[in-house]
Amino acid sequence: MQWPNAAFAWATNFSLIPASEPMSEVREEVRTGASRSVEEEQVKQLNRNARKLSKGNPELAESQARSAQKLARRLGMTYELAYAHNVIGIIRLAQSDAAGAHEEADAALKISRITQDTRNIWTALKIRGRAATMTGDYHMALEALLENLSIQERTGNKQELSKVLMDLSRIYTLLEAFSSALDYCLKSLTIRRQLGNRTDISLALNNLGLICSEIGDHGQALEYFLESTELQTVSPGDSLICGTENNISRAYQALGELDAALLFAQRSLKKSRESGNQYVESLALRSFGEICMERGLQDDALRYFEQSLDLCRLIGDKHGAAQTLHSMAVLSLELQRIDEAEARLAELGELVKDLGLKKLAFELEYTCSQIHAQRGEYKEAWRRLNNHHKLKEAYYDSREQKRLRDILVLRQVESWSKRVENYRRHVDELATLNERLQELNEEKSEFLGIAAHDLKNPLSGIMMTAEVLIHQFERLDECGIKQRADVIYNAAMRMSDIIGSLLDINAIESGSMQVNIFTFPLEPVLRDLVHSWEERAQHKGIAITTSIEPATIDVRADRDMLHRVLDNLLSNAIKFSQPGTQVQIRAVLPEGGGVCITVADQGPGLTDGDHERMFTKFGRLSAKPTANEHSTGLGLSIVKKLLDLVGGAVRCKSTPGRGSSFIVELPGGSACTGRISGGHKAG
């Protein structure tokens, strides 16, 4: 994006070239314009590369950004020039070089304010605020961040607004204005939860933990830190995770769990060195020193403190230097190095005054009182101790602290309420799943029982008949052998029907049954269906009639599935009908569209209880087959499931003693006027 600036204006409007100019000069101008376009694109690409490389390869990223600066300055590309300064500022922040970051941010601001380039302005303000925070210049940091906050509230950029709010929360935490810190942190967390960015939510939770640590609620702080790590999906060397692990270490240390504290301090130190984050490294070194002090390893503690202090001074972290100096003064006092402790406290006093650190102020007074007591200066020791208690009481009992604790308690109650609600929801889900598992278990037991029973009877018949054939074969005539072969065949067919039905149900429920839906004429399907059952119907003295109106009806379904559906319905109609009755198959086009196929019999009909379970698996009904035919209880269940697959439906109309009508509803195709009525009368 190129922002307008009169000082860098450049035109390529060839229509403005005077006609009297030689053509060679015009061609040169065209070549110049083409070359400039290439260079402008090169600047943009260099900046894009620099931004992408800023985390993984900061040296190469800075080289790319410097090249972009040089070229952008020559071409007058103000936006890209400011952008390059900001990229280098971000790199400097990651390297804990606050002074360098501040310098780049100022350069970007100077350019962007002239061009009123809002995006580069707020980026530079963000860098300036974070750099000032690192050096302990909190007033400058607040000034930059509050200006940035005003910009983000006007532009409505929620992502950047949440970041500014979080930066302000950190500043107020360092200024020990914890109520304001909490307000900004919770506002940021609310926006971040809306946006759903796990890393940003993790940062907000981490900051909540820091606020809790500062007011002495280390148990709650640890919960926030651990919750923060659960959301972190960043690389192991990232500053977020190594910083959080150091916070966890300090929380465990405050709770007296030194082994856990040491473990997380080791992780933080290793990862901060891998990522080159000197700020977190200084924190981890101070954590090591404090753990060593707790364990009585004074020499090791002093070595870690000295390394931490050197890093704080190197990167300009005054706040970190103040905390380390206090730890070193306490250690010197333990080692009876009074002069050394006093020198540390004198330097600390200047930083406390400069930064306005209230907590360290009362801790400083207490340590000074101990030094005076060891020197026998009891009056001064008493004065310093009295100051310590006054400052401490004011720090912990202020209205701000009380309001802060109230807010934290409310948030904790809300958090617990959400957990209870989630727990209840999980319990309800588990209860539903458990109920379903019980249903499946009962269904499985029923399946095994019915399958075993229904397969056992025909299998026993086959075995007994085969045994008769084996032992009496020579005494049987041809008619006797044929009769027994028929028995074996019929029993095998029963077993085949049972197995086929079970396989159908399994294929449908597992989703492995293939469906091939297309439009086809209905009449041939009905003709084949009646033909296949004609002999068995005649054997029972039952007539089958068919009626299709209009004469030609097309249906849209899977042809094989429709045949199986109607085969099941016709089989049941014949099975449960008395001799001398009639089964009717009618197909019509209802006014609402589609196709209705009805299979009606004159059997015993169905009870209310039958209606409730007729389409369930193994739903045995009250009616009994009239010629001892076999029934698996799966037929109607298969009918319904097959129709569901092809977008159809089935329903039943029946009254006890007046027969049953099963109506199949399917999507329709075309139709022609006419009527076909045929009868197949059993003898």
Side-chain angles (χ1 to χ4, degrees):
M1 180 176 181
Q2 181 66 44
W3 288 84
N5 187 337
F8 299 108
W10 183 84
T12 56
N13 189 343
F14 300 131
S15 64
L16 298 179
I17 300 172
S20 59
E21 288 189 39
M23 286 303 297
S24 61
E25 294 184 16
V26 174
R27 284 194 294 271
E28 180 62 28
E29 185 70 19
V30 172
R31 283 195 296 272
T32 302
S35 174
R36 181 182 176 88
S37 296
V38 171
E39 288 182 317
E40 286 178 347
E41 183 55 39
Q42 185 180 355
V43 173
K44 294 175 184 178
Q45 188 60 51
L46 285 167
N47 270 336
R48 285 194 290 267
N49 292 343
R51 189 68 184 91
K52 289 178 182 177
L53 293 166
S54 60
K55 283 190 177 180
N57 192 339
E59 291 81 8
L60 180 56
E62 183 173 349
S63 174
Q64 297 270 301
R66 291 294 183 198
S67 297
Q69 279 181 338
K70 184 178 179 181
L71 195 52
R73 190 175 289 110
R74 181 167 64 80
L75 295 172
M77 299 176 68
T78 56
Y79 176 85
E80 299 297 338
L81 179 58
Y83 187 95
H85 278 296
N86 278 331
V87 170
I88 297 172
I90 292 168
I91 294 169
R92 290 284 179 269
L93 281 178
Q95 295 171 336
S96 303
D97 181 2
H102 200 287
E103 182 182 347
E104 296 296 334
D106 281 353
L109 270 176
K110 185 177 180 180
I111 298 166
S112 302
R113 289 196 192 281
I114 295 172
T115 59
Q116 297 182 343
D117 169 9
T118 305
R119 183 177 180 84
N120 274 320
I121 288 173
W122 60 250
T123 302
L125 287 170
K126 179 168 62 176
I127 296 168
R128 176 188 270 187
R130 292 181 180 179
T133 303
M134 291 175 67
T135 59
D137 193 345
Y138 302 138
H139 295 294
M140 178 182 285
L142 276 176
E143 183 183 344
L145 292 173
L146 289 171
E147 183 182 351
N148 195 1
L149 177 63
S150 176
I151 292 172
Q152 301 309 332
E153 287 176 338
R154 287 199 312 271
T155 60
N157 187 330
K158 286 191 174 183
Q159 180 76 24
E160 289 302 323
L161 177 60
S162 74
K163 292 179 181 179
V164 178
L165 290 168
M166 190 53 60
D167 285 344
L168 284 166
S169 175
R170 292 192 188 100
I171 293 292
Y172 281 114
T173 301
L174 293 169
L175 287 170
E176 298 172 350
F178 300 120
S179 181
S180 297
L182 185 60
D183 283 341
Y184 282 118
C185 187
L186 292 177
K187 287 176 183 177
S188 177
L189 180 59
T190 299
I191 295 171
R192 293 177 180 208
R193 289 196 188 282
Q194 290 172 355
L195 297 176
N197 186 302
R198 290 170 61 90
T199 301
D200 286 346
I201 296 170
S202 173
L203 278 166
L205 291 169
N206 191 53
N207 211 53
L208 271 177
L210 289 172
I211 296 170
C212 291
S213 290
E214 290 297 329
I215 64 170
D217 192 348
H218 301 291
Q220 184 61 52
L222 183 60
E223 283 190 29
Y224 284 129
F225 293 144
L226 293 173
E227 186 180 353
S228 174
T229 58
E230 291 174 2
L231 294 171
Q232 292 172 10
T233 56
V234 292
S235 59
D238 193 280
S239 59
L240 171 58
I241 193 166
C242 61
T244 305
E245 286 182 335
N246 183 70
N247 294 334
I248 293 171
S249 172
R250 295 184 66 79
Y252 275 126
Q253 184 188 344
L255 293 168
E257 300 182 33
L258 296 185
D259 289 338
L262 181 61
L263 173 64
F264 281 96
Q266 288 170 336
R267 290 182 182 177
S268 177
L269 184 60
K270 180 176 181 292
K271 291 171 183 175
S272 63
R273 285 174 171 170
E274 287 174 353
S275 64
N277 191 316
Q278 294 177 312
Y279 174 73
V280 177
E281 184 182 353
S282 71
L283 297 176
L285 287 167
R286 185 164 71 248
S287 296
F288 263 102
E290 290 171 353
I291 294 168
C292 288
M293 275 184 66
E294 293 274 355
R295 290 186 164 177
L297 305 171
Q298 287 94 344
D299 291 338
D300 290 335
L302 183 58
R303 188 176 72 256
Y304 286 123
F305 286 144
E306 286 173 346
Q307 292 177 32
S308 175
L309 184 59
D310 288 343
L311 274 177
C312 288
R313 286 170 172 165
L314 178 66
I315 63 178
D317 179 11
K318 293 180 182 180
H319 193 280
Q323 291 178 317
T324 305
L325 281 167
H326 182 258
S327 297
M328 294 177 79
V330 172
L331 178 58
S332 297
L333 194 59
E334 285 184 5
L335 296 171
Q336 298 298 310
R337 300 173 184 173
I338 306 301
D339 292 340
E340 187 179 294
E342 198 167 30
R344 300 292 188 194
L345 291 174
E347 187 178 354
L348 172 61
E350 293 297 323
L351 288 172
V352 167
K353 184 179 179 181
D354 183 31
L355 300 174
L357 303 176
K358 298 174 186 176
K359 187 176 181 181
L360 271 178
F362 70 72
E363 290 176 345
L364 170 65
E365 289 296 315
Y366 180 78
T367 309
C368 286
S369 74
Q370 289 183 308
I371 290 176
H372 288 296
Q374 288 202 17
R375 285 180 169 170
E377 300 167 355
Y378 298 115
K379 186 176 180 180
E380 184 62 20
W382 172 255
R383 188 183 71 80
R384 286 297 185 98
L385 187 60
N386 192 42
N387 285 344
H388 161 76
H389 286 301
K390 286 180 179 178
L391 291 171
K392 186 175 181 180
E393 185 178 353
Y395 179 82
Y396 282 115
D397 293 340
S398 66
R399 289 185 178 181
E400 182 183 12
Q401 292 290 328
K402 290 179 180 178
R403 178 172 175 267
L404 176 66
R405 290 181 183 278
D406 289 343
I407 293 172
L408 282 172
V409 167
L410 286 173
R411 172 166 170 75
Q412 199 166 13
V413 169
E414 289 174 4
S415 176
W416 288 339
S417 298
K418 287 179 182 178
R419 290 181 186 180
V420 169
E421 183 61 33
N422 288 337
Y423 174 76
R424 286 174 179 167
R425 189 173 68 252
H426 290 320
V427 167
D428 291 342
E429 290 173 357
L430 286 172
T432 302
L433 288 172
N434 188 51
E435 186 178 336
R436 177 59 182 151
L437 284 172
Q438 287 181 333
E439 290 175 1
L440 290 172
N441 187 54
E442 291 172 2
E443 195 173 276
K444 178 205 71 173
S445 299
E446 187 176 11
F447 164 79
L448 291 174
I450 291 174
H453 177 269
D454 288 0
L455 288 172
K456 181 180 179 181
N457 290 340
L459 185 60
S460 297
I462 289 173
M463 292 172 64
M464 291 174 61
T465 305
E467 187 177 4
V468 169
L469 285 173
I470 291 170
H471 294 294
Q472 300 183 17
F473 183 79
E474 293 180 354
R475 288 180 296 196
L476 292 172
D477 57 16
E478 183 177 345
C479 182
I481 293 172
K482 185 177 181 306
Q483 287 177 347
R484 286 162 176 79
D486 286 341
V487 171
I488 291 174
Y489 175 78
N490 290 331
M493 286 299 295
R494 284 179 62 190
M495 293 177 69
S496 177
D497 288 343
I498 295 168
I499 293 169
S501 296
L502 295 174
L503 290 175
D504 282 346
I505 285 287
N506 182 68
I508 295 168
E509 293 184 344
S510 66
S512 61
M513 180 167 283
Q514 298 296 317
V515 179
N516 181 25
I517 296 177
F518 61 98
T519 301
F520 55 89
L522 177 62
E523 192 274 334
V525 177
L526 297 184
R527 185 176 61 243
D528 293 343
L529 177 70
V530 172
H531 180 74
S532 65
W533 283 98
E534 187 174 12
E535 185 176 346
R536 271 176 270 190
Q538 288 177 349
H539 182 72
K540 287 188 70 172
I542 296 170
I544 304 174
T545 63
T546 61
S547 171
I548 302 177
E549 186 177 353
T552 302
I553 293 179
D554 289 339
V555 293
R556 183 164 179 77
D558 183 300
R559 183 184 177 115
D560 291 336
M561 286 188 184
L562 178 59
H563 188 279
R564 289 158 78 178
V565 164
L566 297 176
D567 187 78
N568 266 299
L569 295 178
L570 183 55
S571 168
N572 282 348
I574 294 171
K575 190 181 300 181
F576 294 101
S577 293
Q578 293 289 346
T581 59
Q582 186 179 77
V583 173
Q584 295 180 326
I585 303 173
R586 299 187 301 274
V588 298
L589 297 176
E591 292 182 1
V595 178
C596 280
I597 306 168
T598 301
V599 178
D601 62 49
Q602 297 172 340
L606 301 173
T607 65
D608 291 341
D610 291 335
H611 279 281
E612 291 178 4
R613 61 177 178 271
M614 68 171 65
F615 295 117
T616 61
K617 282 191 290 188
F618 311 114
R620 301 293 175 93
L621 306 183
S622 59
K624 303 298 180 186
T626 55
N628 295 320
E629 293 100 329
H630 175 69
S631 175
T632 64
L634 290 171
L636 290 178
S637 174
I638 292 173
V639 165
K640 186 177 186 311
K641 291 179 183 295
L642 288 175
L643 287 170
D644 288 342
L645 287 177
V646 297
V650 61
R651 53 192 173 89
C652 176
K653 291 181 179 180
S654 180
T655 303
R658 297 185 180 180
S660 303
S661 295
F662 284 87
I663 301 101
V664 173
E665 298 171 342
L666 291 167
S670 60
C672 296
T673 304
R675 177 183 175 88
I676 296 178
S677 179
H680 301 272
K681 177 72 177 172

